[in-house]
Amino acid sequence: MSSPDELVIVPHTHWDREWYEPHDVFRLRLVHMVDRLLDTLEQNPGYRFTLDGQAAAVDDYLEIRPEQRQRVAAAVERGQLAIGPFLILLDEFLCDGETIVRNLELGLRASRRIGPEMRIGYLPDMFGHAAQMPQVLRGFGIRDAMLWRGVPARVDRHAFAWSAPDGSVVRTEYLLDGYGNALDLFALPGQLEALVAEYGRSIASWYGADPILGMLGTDHSAPPADLMQVVAAAEAAGIETALTVDTAEGYVRRAAPEWASGDDDALAGIPSVAGELRSHARGNLLPGVFSIRTNLKQAMADAERRLSTAERLDAAFGADDHRAFFDTAWYRLVESTAHDSVTGCGVDATANEVESRLATAANVARGVVLRTMERLAASVDPDRHVVANPTGFARRAHVEIRLHAPDPARLGEGVQLLRSLPEVLGDETMTSVELRKLLARIHGRELFGQLINDWTFTDDGIRFRVAEAPVGEFDLAAFVEALEARIAADPDGSGRWRVEILADPRTVAVVGVEVGGIGVAELDPATAASAGDPVVVGDRTLANAQVAVEVLESGSVRIEAADGTVLDDALRLVDEGDRGDSYNFGPLAGGEAGEAGDSGGDAVTTPASVEVEVLEAGPIRGRLLVRRTYAIPAAVDAIDRDRRSDATVPLVVDTVLELREGEPIVRVAVDFVNPAADHRLRVLVPTAVADLPGSSAAGQYAVTERGRTGEGGWGEHPLPTYPVARFVHAGRASLIVTKHSEYEIVGDPVSGSDAIALTLVRAVGMMSVNIHPLRDEPAGAEFPVPGAQYLGTRVRTEFAVLPSSAGWAESGAARWAELVRVEPEVARGTRGGPAVVGGVAGAGGTAEGASLPAVPAIEVPGDVVLESLREVAAASGEGTDWEARFVNYRDRPQRLGAVASGAWDRTDLAGDVLERNVDLEAFEIGAARIETFRRRSPRSAVVDRD
């Protein structure tokens, strides 16, 4: 076979922004690499370079070298340097769909500050690809993708048509030999022609008459500066194959010119692939990253939810422009989604930095929420509360508040008293000379976080009465005058005074209240009504009209729904040894995936003791605490890595079962401090059905159907552990998660059915191991990562179980997932004066607020999910518009049914108008569609804007 006609060489780097070194170590290398690269580009006009598809690399460089901005911009303008379109090369399964959208949005914005971005979804090294990525790319007008991992074995061409669940298609260039396939061609001086010819013959069937793609680059490096000279020398020597140097986008335009010109029929004849790409056929997927450092996954999910909540409430009820704050927070969050960042498969220093950035994003969101709630609170009297619902669904909100000296006879049926708070906040003895310390403790009216309502001098001291809401006036000057008089009356200052700070009797209560979608409600404990479906609590049972829970002697539970669905022996724990690393679970000898608890005999499944305690007795909310203690091996044996050590440590697991009035779900919180190394702990939820073909899992704006086995073929066992971000459904059970998690469908001989196994913790001590039972080659170097063992680390996992004989769509899993994941916000009213808001006395100020809005801002009656509501710059260039994004998770069209005021246009994800004057209530949203709308109006006036 003859040599290939053309080889297109794409010089590039794959820049892991942080991994086995933290960000700033890698950035130093990046800066020096780009310094040299700019010289190379300017000295060689034919040189082209692809900067890894992520604009953060440019941001990182220019933060250190701001004086080089013009050189970078000039290289981009000349077409020599390809940047963007993403901000960061993300892990597509360990963030939410909205975060992927913001990644592209921020990446395009950052790129365009320099010059035109690369118009290709460059995804070279992700550990698999989410089903909706083609729809997201097309939403930004991007028609092409380029990727490596996850492509199924049936693809036998260098390009395929990849379609999202809604039918959106991108032409996808398959990096069949990885993103460094041309490195070997240039490895031996003087042999380029022979190596190119040999390589071309070996892959001729993949390319046919198309030019061959040669990716010249690898991790944290740039191709040699003399590349153009080497190419010129080969051409001068008469090499048969034409050698062209171009960018990744340039290659795609050469290989598919008709598609590039907009011909949607140009993909005929190439393979088609639908949905997510998670095949192990030709590359490692490294699925263990979904379960390592689980608290990092929780931090990501928390930051995403808090930012989304803050944006929604700020748009609907705020009075300030917080867009710059949100930009900062989203940048910190998005940069944390990198495929070696949130995955936790780097060193401990990297994981610590990622968690810190996520905390920053969450704190920005908290600040916006507090300011918005304080503004709403100014419309409500201090004896009442304001409740805000950040979801698009009308809901029965259950919130905790503090009541002053509550009289049960004067409370509504929707109030349940929980516990009393301390009344004595301070009780100490001072001498007369020390009494002036009190003046330093009083700030206006605040004392010890409460508001002073009264003070009196007793025979032997001073007594303050404080509360969370003001009663009457506090005259600080009068108090100071009285205090100074008593100090003056004791010239030697030796008199002793008892100083008491006494709070009004306070009781924490949980209250139910009806709130509309993106709506607010004023909560009056005296009139709070019951939902009419009370929770009945026994010593080991919880029940309402829709679901009943019983704790069994083993500590597992029996869950029964009103439709007869029974999930028996649910919430059993299985602890097993793990000799793997941060990339892959490593079962011990004989412990390959199979039935629950079948791990070569090393699994611990039976608790040594079980205790059950009633925490809350209903009727609004019932809670049981189940404490199980297990004796588990302390580690994998240091000599024989296929057995666990004989030494054991106690694992104490607290499981709180919660049932609320009117809800068909059982909320669960599992909490423990990890005492052991080298193990995996999972909780099992039976499905009430045996021999299931697979599962349905929701995440990244889609529900994906998955089988019980994965496609293998590469040097990695296709362990069928999968990611889930919202819920997983199998048989007659839906498991709703509140953090990015790992699950597997396993046989469960105890319940007699299949079960959903949710990983609670996976603890290992190496970033990668050279010899792995389920993987042929290392995933990285053998760096110790003691932090990933989580020894002494508290792990808390919250989820909910929805038992139903109906499927996930009919049982409302998508709706319940949103309601479980996004909780309402509540604040005490401050109208007429200061109050304790957010734990701070007087934080709400004294401003008078307008009446609360009487109608919801946006309400969706069905189960189409409102994923995002925010303020964006108005198309007119003046003021702001609302942008609302909805997702239909079902596989059939639905009427959107959204009720919202104003004139709305349908747009793509980039904000370009597709359709004017859309009726949101009548609009039909297609199967598995992401739809975005913008309201053409000034900032909402649902609350007066001062």
Side-chain angles (χ1 to χ4, degrees):
M1 186 177 294
S2 63
S3 299
D5 292 335
E6 184 180 12
L7 172 70
V8 178
I9 304 163
V10 176
H12 75 97
T13 185
H14 176 55
W15 203 267
D16 297 300
R17 195 165 181 259
E18 54 199 356
W19 180 21
Y20 58 83
E21 294 285 4
H23 167 248
D24 286 302
V25 174
F26 276 156
R27 176 159 66 174
L28 184 141
R29 300 178 188 177
L30 171 73
V31 168
H32 291 305
M33 187 274 286
V34 176
D35 283 345
R36 294 192 299 271
L37 174 65
L38 292 175
D39 290 339
T40 299
L41 296 180
E42 290 167 354
Q43 294 163 10
N44 299 272
Y47 207 117
R48 300 289 184 268
F49 191 84
T50 299
L51 194 51
D52 210 24
Q54 49 183 338
V58 180
D59 286 355
D60 287 346
Y61 176 74
L62 292 179
E63 186 175 344
I64 302 298
R65 297 275 198 266
E67 71 279 5
Q68 301 291 359
R69 175 176 292 273
Q70 291 306 315
R71 293 182 72 197
V72 173
V76 173
E77 190 63 33
R78 292 192 304 267
Q80 286 188 276
L81 181 62
I83 62 173
F86 290 96
L87 179 67
I88 203 78
L89 290 185
L90 72 164
D91 184 283
E92 297 170 34
F93 294 100
L94 288 176
C95 63
D96 206 3
E98 188 64 25
T99 303
I100 299 176
V101 171
R102 303 304 178 91
N103 189 337
L104 272 164
E105 188 176 272
L106 289 170
L108 292 171
R109 187 185 307 169
S111 298
R112 290 170 184 173
R113 286 195 291 264
I114 303 298
E117 75 278 358
M118 179 170 67
R119 300 295 294 171
I120 178 173
Y122 187 68
L123 305 163
D125 197 29
M126 287 68 174
F127 307 148
H129 301 278
Q132 288 284 35
M133 185 58 79
Q135 186 179 173
V136 172
L137 291 173
R138 291 300 295 265
F140 283 94
I142 298 173
R143 293 164 55 85
D144 296 273
M146 182 177 286
L147 51 81
W148 169 32
R149 302 183 198 263
V151 176
R154 60 185 178 82
V155 172
D156 58 0
R157 297 282 294 173
H158 71 97
F160 61 93
W162 181 23
S163 62
D166 77 315
S168 299
V169 178
V170 291
R171 181 191 180 277
T172 304
E173 189 66 33
Y174 177 29
L175 301 173
L176 56 110
D177 281 337
Y179 52 77
N181 67 310
L183 288 172
D184 288 347
L185 306 184
F186 291 84
L188 301 176
Q191 298 191 35
L192 179 61
E193 181 173 9
L195 292 173
V196 168
E198 180 182 350
Y199 182 68
R201 288 191 292 270
S202 71
I203 59 171
S205 64
W206 288 85
Y207 283 91
D210 294 340
I212 292 174
L213 172 63
M215 299 295 291
L216 186 59
T218 188
D219 298 357
H220 308 114
S221 66
D226 65 350
L227 172 63
M228 301 309 296
Q229 288 76 22
V230 171
V231 169
E235 291 174 339
I239 186 172
E240 287 188 40
T241 302
L243 300 180
T244 305
V245 177
D246 212 332
T247 64
E249 182 181 12
Y251 171 80
V252 169
R253 302 293 175 257
R254 289 171 180 269
E258 295 85 2
W259 175 257
S261 66
D263 182 359
D264 288 342
D265 296 324
L267 300 185
I270 66 173
S272 297
V273 179
E276 70 177 6
L277 304 179
R278 292 208 56 79
S279 170
H280 304 251
R282 298 194 184 94
N284 291 339
L285 285 184
L286 312 173
V289 299
F290 300 136
S291 52
I292 199 68
R293 301 188 196 265
T294 184
N295 288 353
L296 203 57
K297 280 64 173 176
Q298 184 73 69
M300 173 61 70
D302 287 347
E304 289 175 320
R305 281 195 300 273
R306 289 172 183 171
L307 267 177
S308 178
T309 291
E311 283 187 331
R312 299 176 192 193
L313 297 183
D314 181 61
F317 312 118
D320 307 293
D321 187 350
H322 289 126
R323 285 175 294 165
F325 289 92
F326 287 126
D327 285 347
T328 296
W330 277 110
Y331 196 104
R332 294 289 170 260
L333 189 151
V334 167
E335 66 179 340
S336 300
T337 66
H339 63 289
D340 292 307
S341 298
V342 69
T343 47
C345 57
V347 293
D348 292 345
T350 293
N352 293 339
E353 287 189 2
V354 174
E355 194 159 8
S356 177
R357 289 199 299 264
L358 291 171
T360 296
N363 288 337
V364 171
R366 174 173 164 75
V368 174
V369 169
L370 285 175
R371 185 166 179 83
T372 304
M373 294 303 295
E374 288 164 9
R375 191 167 195 284
L376 290 171
S379 304
V380 177
D381 291 337
D383 61 342
R384 301 183 180 187
H385 289 72
V386 60
V387 179
N389 172 22
T391 79
F393 299 125
R395 71 191 300 171
R396 174 76 173 173
H398 297 95
V399 296
E400 288 190 11
I401 62 173
R402 292 184 297 274
L403 300 176
H404 284 171
D407 178 359
R410 303 183 66 179
L411 296 175
E413 293 183 352
V415 179
Q416 175 186 331
L417 301 180
L418 298 179
R419 63 188 180 279
S420 296
L421 296 175
E423 295 182 34
V424 179
L425 304 184
D427 190 349
E428 60 184 316
T429 300
M430 293 182 178
T431 62
S432 296
V433 74
E434 294 173 320
L435 282 180
R436 287 192 179 89
K437 291 180 180 179
L438 292 174
L439 299 180
R441 295 178 182 178
I442 298 172
H443 307 94
R445 190 170 185 165
E446 180 270 335
L447 176 62
F448 287 5
Q450 302 284 292
L451 299 171
I452 299 172
N453 284 334
D454 187 36
W455 54 273
T456 56
F457 285 95
T458 64
D459 292 340
D460 62 347
I462 307 172
R463 179 176 298 130
F464 294 93
R465 301 297 307 192
V466 298
E468 294 190 8
V471 177
E473 300 293 334
F474 170 64
D475 189 337
L476 178 59
F479 169 73
V480 171
E481 182 180 355
L483 183 69
E484 291 291 350
R486 281 159 176 78
I487 294 172
D490 183 14
D492 65 3
S494 61
R496 300 182 66 80
W497 299 77
R498 182 183 183 187
V499 181
E500 299 172 277
I501 295 93
L502 305 179
D504 285 353
R506 296 171 298 157
T507 300
V508 177
V510 59
V511 186
V513 60
E514 304 294 333
V515 192
I518 310 293
V520 295
E522 185 173 328
L523 192 162
D524 182 355
T527 59
S530 165
D533 181 16
V535 178
V536 178
V537 181
D539 290 342
R540 305 174 75 94
T541 60
L542 302 168
N544 61 19
Q546 302 183 64
V547 65
V549 182
E550 178 187 4
V551 180
L552 307 177
E553 292 299 321
S554 63
S556 60
V557 303
R558 184 179 191 270
I559 302 173
E560 182 173 2
D563 67 358
T565 295
V566 175
L567 309 180
D568 215 354
D569 275 303
L571 307 186
R572 286 183 298 110
L573 299 176
V574 177
D575 185 83
E576 54 202 321
D578 187 346
R579 56 166 291 188
D581 53 29
S582 61
Y583 292 98
N584 295 79
F585 169 68
L588 309 192
E592 194 169 307
E595 295 183 338
D598 178 14
S599 188
D602 76 279
V604 177
T605 59
T606 304
S609 65
V610 177
E611 303 171 39
V612 182
E613 177 187 351
V614 176
L615 298 181
E616 295 177 7
I620 307 303
R621 187 173 73 189
R623 284 179 172 172
L624 296 177
L625 168 64
V626 182
R627 174 165 293 167
R628 290 174 281 182
T629 302
Y630 299 79
I632 66 172
V636 166
D637 188 85
I639 304 300
D640 182 359
R641 300 293 291 172
D642 270 327
R643 64 180 295 271
R644 302 179 81 176
S645 63
D646 295 328
T648 62
V649 291
L651 169 65
V652 180
V653 181
D654 285 346
T655 303
V656 175
L657 308 171
E658 177 180 316
L659 191 60
R660 300 182 183 182
E661 55 167 2
E663 292 190 350
I665 58 174
V666 181
R667 298 170 187 256
V668 182
V670 182
D671 192 288
F672 58 92
V673 174
N674 180 46
D678 310 323
H679 72 122
R680 178 177 71 176
L681 179 65
R682 303 200 287 186
V683 62
L684 304 183
V685 176
T687 66
V689 179
D691 301 320
L692 287 166
S695 60
S696 307
Q700 297 78 45
Y701 289 169
V703 173
T704 300
E705 304 296 326
R706 294 174 175 144
R708 294 288 290 271
T709 59
E711 182 181 46
W714 188 255
E716 179 183 53
H717 179 81
L719 195 66
T721 52
Y722 293 112
V724 58
R726 297 202 168 205
F727 67 83
V728 54
H729 174 84
R732 305 181 76 173
S734 293
L735 180 63
I736 297 167
V737 300
T738 61
K739 66 179 172 183
H740 302 287
S741 303
E742 172 193 86
Y743 79 94
E744 182 181 3
I745 304 300
V746 298
D748 181 13
V750 176
S751 67
S753 70
D754 289 333
I756 304 168
L758 183 72
T759 303
L760 301 175
V761 73
R762 195 171 70 81
V764 298
M766 298 296 288
M767 188 183 88
S768 175
V769 295
N770 292 337
I771 307 299
H772 193 289
L774 299 184
R775 193 185 66 230
D776 289 351
E777 64 175 343
E782 283 198 326
F783 285 103
V785 285
Q789 290 284 20
Y790 266 29
L791 290 171
T793 298
R794 179 171 296 280
V795 176
R796 181 178 176 85
T797 304
E798 298 181 358
F799 56 91
V801 180
L802 172 60
S804 173
S805 60
W808 66 263
E810 292 74 13
S811 63
R815 180 188 183 96
W816 278 111
E818 181 73 357
L819 295 176
V820 167
R821 295 169 66 254
V822 182
E823 290 285 359
E825 299 288 339
V826 61
R828 179 182 293 280
T830 61
R831 181 162 55 195
V836 174
V837 176
V840 179
T846 59
E848 292 288 339
S851 299
L852 294 179
V855 296
I858 298 182
E859 188 168 285
V860 185
D863 65 358
V864 174
V865 180
L866 174 66
E867 298 284 353
S868 171
L869 175 67
R870 60 172 171 163
E871 284 192 316
V872 295
S876 65
E878 296 183 5
T880 58
D881 292 341
W882 275 7
E883 180 192 78
R885 189 154 23 254
F886 301 87
V887 172
N888 177 15
Y889 282 88
R890 296 198 183 198
D891 60 0
R892 59 174 176 78
Q894 297 188 75
R895 187 175 69 88
L896 177 56
V899 178
S901 63
W904 293 81
D905 299 330
R906 185 169 73 93
T907 74
D908 62 13
L909 292 175
D912 294 330
V913 175
L914 303 175
E915 183 181 356
R916 293 283 186 187
N917 297 316
V918 176
D919 183 344
L920 295 186
E921 191 166 9
F923 183 83
E924 184 175 88
I925 183 168
R929 280 291 296 172
I930 307 164
E931 291 287 3
T932 305
F933 303 89
R934 291 196 177 187
R935 190 180 74 175
R936 301 193 315 275
S937 62
R939 190 179 175 92
S940 173
V942 290
V943 179
D944 287 349
R945 301 297 178 186
D946 297 335

CSV table of all heavy atoms in Angstrom, one decimal, residues 50 213 232 274 321 376 420 504 569 585 594 620 636 643 660 752 756 851 910 923:
chain,number,residue,atom,x,y,z
A,50,THR,N,-2.1,24.8,18.7
A,50,THR,CA,-3.4,24.7,19.3
A,50,THR,C,-3.2,24.7,20.8
A,50,THR,O,-2.6,23.7,21.3
A,50,THR,CB,-4.2,23.5,18.9
A,50,THR,OG1,-4.4,23.6,17.4
A,50,THR,CG2,-5.5,23.3,19.6
A,213,LEU,N,-4.6,12.9,10.3
A,213,LEU,CA,-4.4,13.8,11.4
A,213,LEU,C,-3.2,13.3,12.3
A,213,LEU,O,-3.2,12.2,12.8
A,213,LEU,CB,-5.6,13.9,12.3
A,213,LEU,CG,-5.5,14.8,13.6
A,213,LEU,CD1,-5.2,16.2,13.2
A,213,LEU,CD2,-6.8,14.7,14.4
A,232,ALA,N,10.3,21.3,6.2
A,232,ALA,CA,10.9,21.8,4.9
A,232,ALA,C,12.0,20.9,4.4
A,232,ALA,O,12.1,20.6,3.2
A,232,ALA,CB,11.5,23.2,5.2
A,274,ALA,N,-25.0,7.7,19.2
A,274,ALA,CA,-26.0,8.5,20.0
A,274,ALA,C,-25.7,8.4,21.5
A,274,ALA,O,-25.3,7.4,22.0
A,274,ALA,CB,-27.4,8.1,19.7
A,321,ASP,N,-26.9,45.2,41.2
A,321,ASP,CA,-26.3,44.5,40.0
A,321,ASP,C,-25.2,43.6,40.6
A,321,ASP,O,-24.1,44.2,40.9
A,321,ASP,CB,-25.8,45.5,39.0
A,321,ASP,CG,-25.3,44.8,37.7
A,321,ASP,OD1,-25.2,43.6,37.7
A,321,ASP,OD2,-25.1,45.5,36.7
A,376,LEU,N,-36.0,41.3,51.3
A,376,LEU,CA,-37.3,40.7,51.5
A,376,LEU,C,-37.8,40.8,52.9
A,376,LEU,O,-39.0,41.1,53.2
A,376,LEU,CB,-37.4,39.3,51.0
A,376,LEU,CG,-37.2,39.1,49.5
A,376,LEU,CD1,-37.0,37.6,49.2
A,376,LEU,CD2,-38.4,39.6,48.7
A,420,SER,N,-35.7,23.4,72.6
A,420,SER,CA,-35.6,24.7,73.2
A,420,SER,C,-34.1,25.1,73.1
A,420,SER,O,-33.2,24.3,73.2
A,420,SER,CB,-36.0,24.7,74.6
A,420,SER,OG,-37.4,24.4,74.7
A,504,ASP,N,-35.0,35.7,75.8
A,504,ASP,CA,-36.4,35.2,75.9
A,504,ASP,C,-36.4,33.7,75.6
A,504,ASP,O,-35.6,33.2,74.7
A,504,ASP,CB,-37.3,35.9,74.9
A,504,ASP,CG,-37.6,37.4,75.3
A,504,ASP,OD1,-37.2,37.7,76.5
A,504,ASP,OD2,-38.1,38.1,74.5
A,569,ASP,N,-35.0,-4.6,53.3
A,569,ASP,CA,-33.6,-4.6,53.6
A,569,ASP,C,-32.8,-3.5,52.9
A,569,ASP,O,-31.7,-3.7,52.5
A,569,ASP,CB,-33.0,-6.0,53.3
A,569,ASP,CG,-33.2,-7.0,54.4
A,569,ASP,OD1,-32.8,-6.7,55.6
A,569,ASP,OD2,-33.8,-8.1,54.2
A,585,PHE,N,-11.1,1.5,41.1
A,585,PHE,CA,-11.3,0.6,42.2
A,585,PHE,C,-10.5,-0.6,42.0
A,585,PHE,O,-10.5,-1.1,40.9
A,585,PHE,CB,-12.8,0.3,42.3
A,585,PHE,CG,-13.1,-0.8,43.3
A,585,PHE,CD1,-12.9,-0.7,44.7
A,585,PHE,CD2,-13.6,-2.1,42.8
A,585,PHE,CE1,-13.2,-1.8,45.5
A,585,PHE,CE2,-13.9,-3.1,43.7
A,585,PHE,CZ,-13.7,-3.0,45.0
A,594,GLY,N,-19.8,-8.3,41.2
A,594,GLY,CA,-20.8,-9.4,41.1
A,594,GLY,C,-22.0,-9.0,42.0
A,594,GLY,O,-22.6,-8.0,41.8
A,620,ILE,N,-45.2,17.2,61.4
A,620,ILE,CA,-44.7,17.9,60.2
A,620,ILE,C,-43.5,17.1,59.6
A,620,ILE,O,-43.4,16.9,58.4
A,620,ILE,CB,-44.3,19.4,60.4
A,620,ILE,CG1,-45.5,20.1,61.1
A,620,ILE,CG2,-44.0,20.0,59.1
A,620,ILE,CD1,-46.8,20.0,60.3
A,636,VAL,N,-5.6,-2.6,53.9
A,636,VAL,CA,-5.2,-3.8,53.1
A,636,VAL,C,-3.8,-4.2,53.7
A,636,VAL,O,-3.0,-3.3,54.0
A,636,VAL,CB,-5.1,-3.4,51.6
A,636,VAL,CG1,-4.3,-4.5,50.8
A,636,VAL,CG2,-6.5,-3.3,51.0
A,643,ARG,N,-5.3,-9.3,50.5
A,643,ARG,CA,-6.1,-9.5,51.7
A,643,ARG,C,-6.1,-8.3,52.5
A,643,ARG,O,-5.2,-7.4,52.5
A,643,ARG,CB,-5.5,-10.7,52.4
A,643,ARG,CG,-4.1,-10.5,52.9
A,643,ARG,CD,-3.6,-11.8,53.7
A,643,ARG,NE,-4.4,-12.0,54.9
A,643,ARG,CZ,-4.1,-11.5,56.1
A,643,ARG,NH1,-3.1,-10.7,56.2
A,643,ARG,NH2,-4.9,-11.7,57.1
A,660,ARG,N,-41.4,13.7,55.7
A,660,ARG,CA,-42.1,14.9,55.8
A,660,ARG,C,-43.6,14.7,55.4
A,660,ARG,O,-43.9,13.9,54.6
A,660,ARG,CB,-41.5,16.0,55.0
A,660,ARG,CG,-40.0,16.3,55.3
A,660,ARG,CD,-39.5,17.4,54.5
A,660,ARG,NE,-38.0,17.7,54.8
A,660,ARG,CZ,-37.3,18.6,54.2
A,660,ARG,NH1,-37.9,19.5,53.4
A,660,ARG,NH2,-36.0,18.8,54.5
A,752,GLY,N,-33.2,-10.3,47.6
A,752,GLY,CA,-33.8,-11.2,46.5
A,752,GLY,C,-34.0,-10.4,45.2
A,752,GLY,O,-34.6,-10.9,44.3
A,756,ILE,N,-29.4,-0.8,43.9
A,756,ILE,CA,-28.6,0.3,43.5
A,756,ILE,C,-27.5,0.4,44.6
A,756,ILE,O,-27.9,0.7,45.8
A,756,ILE,CB,-29.4,1.6,43.4
A,756,ILE,CG1,-30.5,1.5,42.4
A,756,ILE,CG2,-28.5,2.8,43.0
A,756,ILE,CD1,-31.5,2.6,42.4
A,851,SER,N,-44.6,45.7,49.7
A,851,SER,CA,-45.3,44.4,49.9
A,851,SER,C,-44.6,43.3,49.1
A,851,SER,O,-44.0,43.6,48.1
A,851,SER,CB,-46.7,44.6,49.4
A,851,SER,OG,-47.4,45.6,50.2
A,910,ALA,N,-26.0,31.0,23.3
A,910,ALA,CA,-25.1,32.2,23.2
A,910,ALA,C,-25.9,33.4,23.4
A,910,ALA,O,-25.4,34.5,23.4
A,910,ALA,CB,-24.4,32.2,21.9
A,923,PHE,N,-45.8,27.0,24.9
A,923,PHE,CA,-44.6,26.5,24.1
A,923,PHE,C,-44.5,25.0,24.4
A,923,PHE,O,-44.5,24.5,25.5
A,923,PHE,CB,-43.4,27.2,24.5
A,923,PHE,CG,-42.1,26.8,23.8
A,923,PHE,CD1,-41.9,27.3,22.5
A,923,PHE,CD2,-41.3,25.8,24.3
A,923,PHE,CE1,-40.7,27.0,21.8
A,923,PHE,CE2,-40.1,25.5,23.6
A,923,PHE,CZ,-39.9,26.0,22.4
